[in-house]
Amino acid sequence: MIEQIFEDVKEKFKDKPKRFTHTLGVIKTAVSLSLRYGIDSDKAYLAALFHDYTKYETVDEQTKVLS
């Protein structure tokens, strides 16, 4: 499941490679911090993976993703 989500996010940012590279860095940092502080690393990974998912969307589109 996580692999498919990763591929979906990668596809979404295929035209924005710098944003995807940024997301990979956020994932690395989030997982590292989760391990340091005893937080579920899968949850940290997913939160980091999605943190910019709707960055370029309108508020209406962002709201639809949350529904």
Side-chain angles (χ1 to χ4, degrees), residues 9-66:
V9 172
K10 184 177 180 181
E11 176 68 19
K12 181 173 179 97
F13 291 128
K14 69 181 177 190
D15 296 331
K16 295 178 175 49
K18 288 183 180 180
R19 179 58 45 193
F20 187 68
T21 299
H22 163 76
T23 299
L24 295 177
V26 173
I27 290 169
K28 182 178 178 181
T29 300
V31 170
S32 176
L33 289 170
S34 73
L35 295 171
R36 180 179 211 168
Y37 293 105
I39 305 299
D40 184 321
S41 61
D42 286 339
K43 289 180 181 179
Y45 181 97
L46 286 172
L49 185 59
F50 279 123
H51 90 280
D52 273 344
Y53 191 76
T54 62
K55 182 174 185 70
Y56 303 105
E57 308 294 334
T58 65
V59 172
D60 287 338
E61 290 297 318
Q62 291 175 357
T63 303
K64 287 178 188 176
V65 171
L66 293 173

